[in-house]
Amino acid sequence: MKEDSLSNRAYTELRKKILSNQLTSGTRLKEDEWSKKLDVNRMAIREALTRLLGEQLIVQGEKGGFFVKTLTLEDSHKIRELREILEIGALRLLIQKVTIEQVAELDRICDDFSSMVERGYFGGACEADVKFHETLIECAGNERLVELYQASNIPLFHQKLGKTQTHMDDYELTDQEHREIVAGIKERDIKRAEEALLKHLIRGEVASIDLT
């Protein structure tokens, strides 16, 4: 496989794990470790890390090395505001033109999320959570909006991987809130969908503050 393809694969995988909070704030990303995990050479990992550094998803330590960026209270607030603007905007675009197939896809993602949690596969649940919000954006049918959302590198900030009661409550609430958003979309009830999404995002911000 070509070097640029290896680098892009490493970048895509690491970015996905950071945005889905499988790699949590402060986690060190070691070239040799990820080279083995992703079955690519260290040069590909180095190029991927340099790209993630440029996108401000990771930072360099004072003594070297790369670490997942730690979110401050201000970061969490700004992320919530940005998601609110983009995702509510997407809801308003999609509410009158969403297709049966798109609704079915949102339902499928909700079911995937539930299944992952029930089986204890919390990494997969986090990826399904990210996929749910990305699909909301895609359903709006605006390519510029999709590009903007992807370029913003918006992470989950309301979940920590783990099987404590607090974490399980968070997964259950996330499932309920996602399904309430979909219910509003099915009924073409923008108020219901918006209120559910706002509740979801605000809870995420509050939860991230509690975990700092």
Side-chain angles (χ1 to χ4, degrees):
M1 188 178 291
K2 292 183 179 179
E3 188 67 40
D4 58 345
S5 297
L6 292 173
S7 173
N8 190 62
R9 180 160 69 84
Y11 160 79
T12 299
E13 190 63 26
L14 288 170
R15 178 180 180 273
K16 179 174 66 176
K17 290 185 180 299
I18 292 171
L19 295 184
S20 64
N21 211 15
Q22 295 179 71
L23 290 173
T24 55
S25 298
T27 300
R28 184 170 185 175
L29 304 175
K30 298 180 180 179
E31 288 182 13
D32 56 344
E33 180 181 327
W34 282 99
S35 175
K36 293 175 182 176
K37 284 184 177 180
L38 300 180
D39 192 26
V40 299
N41 58 50
R42 292 184 64 168
M43 178 64 72
I45 296 296
R46 191 172 301 123
E47 290 178 359
L49 292 173
T50 300
R51 189 171 170 185
L52 292 167
L53 180 67
E55 294 179 357
Q56 299 182 13
L57 286 174
I58 63 176
V59 296
Q60 284 186 297
E62 293 181 2
K63 297 181 180 180
F66 295 95
F67 299 81
V68 178
K69 183 179 178 181
T70 298
L71 295 182
T72 64
L73 299 183
E74 184 179 6
D75 288 332
S76 293
H77 183 65
K78 288 182 177 178
I79 289 169
R80 196 268 297 165
E81 288 182 327
L82 178 59
R83 292 185 66 180
E84 186 175 317
I85 291 168
L86 297 179
E87 294 185 37
I88 286 181
L91 278 179
R92 292 177 179 175
L93 288 173
L94 71 84
I95 201 74
Q96 295 302 325
K97 60 183 179 182
V98 67
T99 66
I100 294 174
E101 291 76 18
Q102 287 173 326
V103 172
E105 175 65 7
L106 290 169
D107 275 333
R108 185 191 65 76
I109 295 169
C110 288
D111 290 340
D112 283 348
F113 180 89
S114 300
S115 175
M116 296 290 185
V117 173
E118 288 172 3
R119 289 184 287 151
Y121 183 28
F122 300 109
C126 288
E127 289 182 16
D129 192 350
V130 172
K131 181 63 176 176
F132 179 85
H133 291 276
E134 289 177 342
T135 302
L136 280 182
I137 297 294
E138 292 167 1
C139 287
N142 186 306
E143 292 180 0
R144 293 296 180 89
L145 179 59
V146 172
E147 290 171 2
L148 178 59
Y149 193 84
Q150 291 176 343
S152 297
N153 289 317
I154 299 173
L156 293 180
F157 49 44
H158 64 286
Q159 292 178 334
K160 294 289 184 182
L161 295 180
K163 201 174 180 180
T164 67
Q165 187 58 47
T166 300
H167 297 145
M168 292 305 294
D169 288 347
D170 185 72
Y171 289 115
E172 290 170 6
L173 287 170
T174 295
D175 192 25
Q176 293 169 13
E177 289 161 359
H178 283 179
R179 292 183 187 280
E180 178 65 13
I181 293 167
V182 176
I185 292 172
K186 288 178 179 177
E187 296 177 2
R188 301 190 186 275
D189 184 339
I190 187 62
K191 182 179 179 181
R192 180 178 179 181
E194 280 189 19
E195 287 179 350
L197 179 57
L198 274 174
K199 179 181 178 181
H200 182 53
L201 297 179
I202 291 171
R203 183 178 66 80
E205 181 185 0
V206 171
S208 71
I209 291 172
D210 289 343
L211 288 166
T212 56

